[in-house]
Amino acid sequence: TLRGASAYSAAATRWDADAAALLKPYRTSVSRLVPLDGQRVAVRWRAAWDPASLAWAPPLARLLGWEIERFDLDPEVVSNFRWMAIFELFAAALRTRVLRLPAASVEGRAVYCLEEGRCVAHEESLDLVRTADSGRLRNRRAAENIAEFLDVARRPDGSEPEEWAAAVRARVLSGVPGAGALHLEPSEVRCARINAPIALVIVPVFSSAQDPSEGVFALGCFALVAACAVRLSAGVIGGEATTEAFGEGGVAVCEEIGARRSVDFSQCVSDLF
């Protein structure tokens, strides 16, 4: 809770500056504005940025002439992935020249109380925090997105960063499958062993290219060869399931989930990142 115009203004200024500096490129928008009565106004807003783990994607898309299409994650769906889904993601991008990637976003509702054109009170609620409070937040990436937003753009002045981070973890990350340490099964290691020699051959070619077009060509070759290697890996493994154990028990990898451009397929692939 912030009290007083000076504390409110200082916090809002710092939050905006920190978000612009750390959540790049930081974008905000208003989707709806509804007067509640003579003094109160409700605003639906959205903040979005590109995940740091996907920083490689825009340069790669520019090099290969691909468009990037962002989609929102379903916070109530546990994300799983299989190696074949990764192949299908890049195969679809090569075919359609569109790379579909998960967006990092937070949506909320703010209620402003106005007197003579001045804001005298501001209440805010975040959708993903309410989802976490109800125990329905199950998507690892969505949970990490809201935790990052709270840490960067909502940490109160005067609070210790470590204490605030611990409070955020307890509020939105605790109990989310995959938010803790991951356990990799041997089958994934075997895939890595099969693909490693190919990477050792192709990566030096890419890094030694003098002309940018040579780098693009080598990168494209690497993507194609790696995709074939993944396909080969799946055949060598003989359909053995790859699993990631999250917390207690485990979550099986993706089964056949329908159309490759469906939300469920995108949700499945997104957990790679």
Side-chain angles (χ1 to χ4, degrees):
T1 301
L2 298 173
R3 299 185 182 278
S6 59
Y8 177 83
S9 298
T13 300
R14 180 175 62 81
W15 291 341
D16 185 67
D18 289 347
L22 299 175
L23 306 178
K24 298 180 180 180
Y26 187 63
R27 310 175 293 276
T28 59
S29 59
V30 172
S31 59
R32 191 177 182 186
L33 190 152
V34 179
L36 299 179
D37 51 40
Q39 292 184 318
R40 297 187 304 154
V41 177
V43 177
R44 285 287 304 175
W45 58 268
R46 173 186 174 93
W49 63 96
D50 294 346
S53 61
L54 294 179
W56 54 269
L60 175 64
R62 286 193 297 268
L63 282 172
L64 299 180
W66 294 348
E67 295 181 7
I68 292 181
E69 182 178 299
R70 302 281 183 180
F71 63 90
D72 287 335
L73 299 168
D74 186 339
E76 299 184 25
V77 175
V78 177
S79 291
N80 310 313
F81 78 92
R82 56 189 174 93
W83 285 110
M84 190 54 62
I86 308 309
F87 165 79
E88 291 167 347
L89 171 70
F90 285 99
L94 287 170
R95 184 177 65 255
T96 64
R97 306 187 70 80
V98 176
L99 183 62
R100 286 175 53 79
L101 298 173
S105 62
V106 172
E107 295 188 3
R109 180 178 184 267
V111 176
Y112 297 92
C113 183
L114 307 176
E115 290 184 1
E116 298 180 355
R118 297 169 56 247
C119 178
V120 296
H122 173 194
E123 296 179 359
E124 181 180 76
S125 62
L126 303 179
D127 293 356
L128 288 175
V129 173
R130 293 203 309 269
T131 303
D133 289 344
S134 66
R136 294 180 291 111
L137 181 56
R138 309 294 292 165
N139 185 275
R140 173 181 62 86
R141 174 55 63 185
E144 291 174 350
N145 288 341
I146 184 62
E148 185 177 23
F149 178 82
L150 290 171
D151 187 53
V152 171
R154 287 299 182 270
R155 181 171 63 84
D157 287 327
S159 63
E160 291 294 331
E162 294 80 6
E163 294 180 0
W164 178 252
V168 168
R169 284 195 301 271
R171 184 78 178 268
V172 300
L173 293 178
S174 178
V176 176
L182 298 181
H183 171 68
L184 299 182
E185 293 295 325
S187 54
E188 292 181 295
V189 176
R190 272 185 277 172
C191 285
R193 287 174 180 171
I194 294 173
N195 292 329
I198 299 173
L200 291 175
V201 172
I202 300 297
V203 170
V205 174
F206 174 68
S207 61
S208 62
Q210 299 297 322
D211 186 81
S213 61
E214 296 177 6
V216 174
F217 177 77
L219 186 59
C221 290
F222 172 71
L224 290 173
V225 174
C228 293
V230 171
R231 175 77 71 175
L232 176 62
S233 300
V236 171
I237 293 171
E240 178 182 355
T242 300
T243 59
E244 291 187 13
F246 300 112
E248 297 181 0
V251 180
V253 294
C254 295
E255 304 294 338
E256 295 300 326
I257 54 177
R260 293 180 181 179
R261 290 184 61 83
S262 68
V263 173
D264 289 340
F265 177 80
S266 300
Q267 184 82 39
C268 174
V269 174
S270 71
D271 196 56
L272 172 68
F273 309 110

